[in-house]
C-alpha cells in the first residue's frame, strides 16, 4: 500500500481525529487544516481542528475558520476532554516544536501521528510520514488524499485548498509551480473555487499598518555583499500599531532586488525571541542554514526563531548566511 492509501486508511478508521498545523499559520497551514477538516466532517467523522495561534483576519473569508480551536494558554489542549483523541494529523509542519501549544505531549502521549508536509527539512516525526518536497503546498497533497478518502470535493473544501496553493506559490509564481500544480488548481476551480476572488483576497488587501511598517523597514536596508536585510523592531511595531505575525511578505519583496541573492528580515517578537525570514534566488538554498538554526523551510524560502536579542541574532545569522553564500557561489 502506498503512503497516501495508508494515511487514508488510518484516517478513515479513526473515531476522533485531531488535525493540527504550525503556529503563526499561513494560508497553506490554515487552508490545509480546514480543507481536510471539512472533508472529514462531510464523511461524518469526528474531528477537531487546532492551531496554537489565532487565525489572522486576512483569512477570515475562509469557510468555517471559526471552527478552528486555539488551545487555552497554559491549559492542556484536550479537544473533547471526555473523549480521547485516537489519531493526530499534522499538516504543513516540519517538526513537533512548530506545532506549539496545539500539540501537548503529555495529554496526547502514545497517540499516533500522521505527518503530511512538503518541507524538505521535515524531521519525519510521525508514525506515517508523507513528506513530498516536490509539492508546492501541503494543500496540493490533500487533493489525492481526499480522493482516497472517497469524499467528493465541495466548493468550500476547494476554496480552502486553492488558498493553500495560491499562498505558497505566491500566486503561481514560484519555481514549485509545476503542470501538476496547475492541473490540481484547475480541478479545484472546476469544483467552484474562485481564482479571481481568492487572488484578490490573498494578494490585494493589507492593513494600512502593514504599509506603514514596510515604510519604516525599507528606510533601513542593509546590503552586505549580495545579502540584503532589514529588521522589524518592537519599537517599530508599537509606533505603527502592527500586531500581526510575520513580515507580511517583506522578505519576498526584498528578494526582488537585482543586487541581492539572499534577503533576510529579522522580526523582534517581543517575548525575547526573534523570527528570521529568509529568501534565496534560484541557484541558492537557504533552507540548510535555517535547519542548522533549529528552523526549516524550502530552498528558496525558509525561517527560524531564535531566543536571543536582535543584535545577537543578526550577528549569528548574517555570518552563517554569508558563509553559505560563499560556499554555494564557489560550487556554481
Ligand atoms: P516565512 O519566512 O515565515 O514566510 O517562512 C518561509 C518558510 O520557512 C515557510 O515554508 C515556513 O514554513 C518556514 N519557516 C519559517 N519559520 C520557520 C521556523 N521558525 N521553523 C521552521 N520553519 C520555518
Ligand atoms: Mn506554512
Ligand atoms: Mn506550506
Amino acid at each position: 500500500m502506498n503512503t497516501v492509501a495508508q494515511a487514508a486508511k488510518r484516517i478513515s478508521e479513526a473515531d476522533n481525529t485531531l488535525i493540527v498545523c504550525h503556529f503563526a499559520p499561513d494560508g497553506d497551514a490554515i487552508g490545509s487544516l480546514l480543507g481536510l477538516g471539512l472533508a472529514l466532517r462531510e464523511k461524518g467523522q469526528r474531528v477537531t481542528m487546532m492551531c496554537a495561534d489565532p487565525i489572522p483576519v486576512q483569512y477570515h473569508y475562509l469557510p468555517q475558520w471559526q471552527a478552528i480551536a486555539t488551545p487555552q494558554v497554559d491549559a492542556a489542549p484536550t479537544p473533547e476532554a471526555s473523549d480521547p483523541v485516537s489519531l493526530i494529523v499534522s499538516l504543513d509542519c516540519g517538526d513537533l516544536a512548530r506545532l506549539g501549544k496545539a500539540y501537548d505531549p503529555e495529554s496526547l502521549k502514545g497517540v499516533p501521528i500522521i505527518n503530511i508536509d512538503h518541507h524538505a527539512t521535515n524531521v519525519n516525526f510521525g508514525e506515517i510520514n508523507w513528506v513530498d518536497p516536490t509539492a508546492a503546498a501541503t494543500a496540493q497533497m490533500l487533493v489525492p488524499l481526499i480522493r482516497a478518502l472517497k469524499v467528493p470535493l465541495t466548493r468550500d473544501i476547494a476554496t480552502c485548498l486553492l488558498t493553500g496553493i495560491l499562498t505558497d506559490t505566491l500566486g503561481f509564481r514560484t519555481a514549485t509551480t509545476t503542470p501538476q500544480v496547475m492541473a490540481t488548481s484547475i480541478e479545484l476551480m472546476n469544483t467552484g473555487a474562485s481564482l479571481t476572488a481568492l487572488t484578490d483576497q490573498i494578494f490585494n488587501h493589507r492593513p494600512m499598518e502593514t504599509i506603514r511598517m514596510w515604510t519604516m523597514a525599507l528606510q533601513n536596508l542593509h546590503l552586505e555583499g549580495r545579502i540584503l536585510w532589514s529588521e522589524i523592531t518592537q519599537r517599530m511595531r508599537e509606533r505603527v500599531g502592527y500586531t500581526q505575525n510575520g513580515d507580511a511578505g517583506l522578505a519576498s519583496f526584498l528578494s526582488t532586488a537585482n543586487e541581492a541573492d539572499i534577503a533576510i528580515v529579522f522580526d523582534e517578537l517581543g517575548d525575547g525571541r526573534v523570527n528570521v525570514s529568509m529568501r534565496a534566488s534560484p541557484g541558492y538554498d537557504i533552507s540548510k542554514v535555517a535547519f542548522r538554526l533549529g528552523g526549516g523551510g524550502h530552498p528558496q524560502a525558509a525561517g527560524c526563531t531564535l531566543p536571543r536579542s536582535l543584535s545577537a541574532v543578526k550577528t549569528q545569522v548574517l555570518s552563517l548566511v554569508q558563509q553559505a553564500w560563499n560556499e554555494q557561489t564557489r560550487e556554481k
Side-chain angles (χ1 to χ4, degrees):
M1 208 188 292
N2 66 23
T3 322
V4 188
Q6 266 177 36
K9 183 166 183 287
R10 291 294 290 271
I11 293 170
S12 295
E13 289 166 359
D15 324 313
N16 190 19
T17 305
L18 172 66
I19 316 182
V20 287
C21 68
H22 64 78
F23 59 68
D26 50 30
D28 189 27
I30 301 165
S32 296
L33 192 63
L34 281 170
L36 183 60
L38 298 184
L40 291 188
R41 288 196 174 154
E42 286 284 325
K43 210 168 144 60
Q45 289 197 229
R46 252 174 336 152
V47 55
T48 301
M49 297 176 267
M50 190 171 287
C51 179
D53 286 318
I55 305 307
V57 186
Q58 193 195 350
Y59 295 108
H60 286 189
Y61 67 86
L62 284 170
Q64 299 197 40
W65 67 269
Q66 295 100 326
I68 300 175
T70 309
Q72 300 294 311
V73 178
D74 298 325
T78 39
E80 286 168 49
S82 54
D83 205 0
V85 170
S86 47
L87 181 70
I88 299 165
V89 181
S90 168
L91 298 172
D92 198 43
C93 185
D95 59 83
L96 280 178
R98 203 162 151 73
L99 293 172
K101 287 200 161 68
Y103 177 76
D104 176 45
E106 278 299 306
S107 63
L108 297 170
K109 201 169 170 193
V111 180
I113 302 177
I114 299 184
N115 165 19
I116 304 176
D117 186 29
H118 68 127
H119 292 93
T121 51
N122 192 293
V123 295
N124 294 323
F125 55 87
E127 186 169 302
I128 295 178
N129 296 291
W130 178 24
V131 178
D132 180 3
T134 68
T138 300
Q140 181 196 343
M141 300 169 69
L142 297 182
V143 174
L145 179 69
I146 291 171
R147 197 178 298 125
L149 287 166
K150 301 196 168 51
V151 181
L153 286 175
T154 62
R155 179 167 30 168
D156 280 356
I157 297 172
T159 297
C160 297
L161 298 181
L162 190 56
T163 291
I165 294 176
L166 281 170
T167 341
D168 270 19
T169 62
L170 306 175
F172 302 131
R173 289 187 296 128
T174 58
T176 52
T177 310
T178 57
Q180 184 56 53
V181 173
M182 301 313 295
T184 302
S185 301
I186 290 168
E187 185 180 346
L188 297 172
M189 288 170 74
N190 282 332
T191 314
S194 166
L195 177 61
T196 316
L198 293 178
T199 302
D200 188 54
Q201 287 282 0
I202 298 166
F203 300 109
N204 298 344
H205 293 274
R206 52 176 63 90
M208 187 65 187
E209 303 89 77
T210 301
I211 294 172
R212 293 211 167 94
M213 184 275 288
W214 273 42
T215 307
M216 293 182 83
L218 290 173
Q219 281 167 358
N220 195 15
L221 290 180
H222 303 261
L223 182 64
E224 294 179 12
R226 291 189 60 82
I227 299 163
L228 180 62
W229 63 271
S230 186
E231 62 191 2
I232 303 169
T233 62
Q234 266 304 301
R235 227 176 126 239
M236 286 162 63
R237 281 181 169 269
E238 280 157 21
R239 268 185 67 183
V240 300
Y242 180 78
T243 52
Q244 267 187 73
N245 283 319
D247 69 349
L250 182 58
S252 296
F253 177 65
L254 296 189
S255 72
T256 60
N258 288 338
E259 286 73 12
D261 297 320
I262 294 174
I264 311 175
V265 173
F266 298 96
D267 182 7
E268 201 176 29
L269 298 181
D271 58 1
R273 297 180 307 155
V274 174
N275 193 75
V276 186
S277 260
M278 299 186 274
R279 297 291 181 270
S281 302
Y284 288 88
D285 179 347
I286 202 66
S287 66
K288 294 192 182 100
V289 175
F291 188 70
R292 266 182 71 185
L293 290 165
H298 312 281
Q300 261 63 66
C304 58
T305 309
L306 297 168
R308 281 189 280 288
S309 72
L310 185 58
S311 65
V313 169
K314 284 194 298 202
T315 308
Q316 183 189 17
V317 172
L318 287 168
S319 143
L320 283 175
V321 169
Q322 184 62 60
Q323 212 178 307
W325 183 90
N326 293 345
E327 282 164 18
Q328 294 177 20
T329 303
R330 225 180 296 127
E331 283 162 15
K332 271 180 185 289

